């Protein structure tokens, strides 16, 4: 299922972005095994059934060090599509990349199954099941090529 179907009453609001959380390639202190330090992007979620809201925290989004990180959320039926991006339009770039944590809130959710995916879907495995009828919080991991 790619999330097609009935439209819903879902809406989203961008909450915040962290400061730079360091390099996505580790701290460079280990000569061997540096690839083990690479931090993979994931979404940690918390569902509040009493408010009908789920908070989505995209962690380890890779952007330029001079970025103004932001995340938009769109919907296609029961699919939640997240779009991390640099909101800075000045085209000023630094010669480095950083990891950022981005938080958005989706309102109007119910205790049921949703699908969640990055906007640039390159791999069907990056469509994750967000089963709010079973769990109120959890973590969904995505591949590097999802961003």
């Amino acid at each position: 299922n790619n999330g097609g179907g009935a439209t819903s009453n879902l809406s989203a609001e961008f909450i915040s972005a962290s400061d730079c959380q360091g390099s996505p390639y580790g701290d460079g202190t280990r000569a061997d095994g540096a690839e083990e330090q690479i931090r993979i992007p994931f979404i940690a979620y918390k569902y509040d059934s009493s408010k009908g809201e789920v908070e989505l925290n995209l962690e380890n989004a890779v952007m330029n060090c001079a970025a103004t990180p932001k995340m938009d959320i769109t919907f296609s039926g029961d699919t939640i599509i997240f779009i991390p991006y640099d909101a800075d339009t000045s085209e000023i770039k630094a010669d480095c990349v950083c990891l950022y944590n981005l938080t958005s809130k989706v309102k109007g959710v119910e205790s049921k199954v949703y699908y969640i995916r990055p906007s640039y879907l390159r791999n069907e495995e990056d469509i994750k099941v967000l089963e709010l009828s079973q769990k109120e919080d959890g973590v969904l991991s995505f591949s590097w090529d999802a961003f």
Side-chain angles (χ1 to χ4, degrees), residues 50 73 109 137:
S50 67
I73 304 274
V109 294
D137 56 42

Side-chain angles (χ1 to χ4, degrees), residues 68-95:
T68 302
K70 193 163 183 197
M71 181 168 63
D72 285 348
I73 304 274
T74 62
F75 308 98
S76 175
D78 288 339
T79 299
I80 299 167
I81 303 164
F82 61 95
I83 309 156
Y85 66 98
D86 179 1
D88 182 359
T89 58
S90 71
E91 298 189 24
I92 295 173
K93 301 293 177 204
D95 191 20

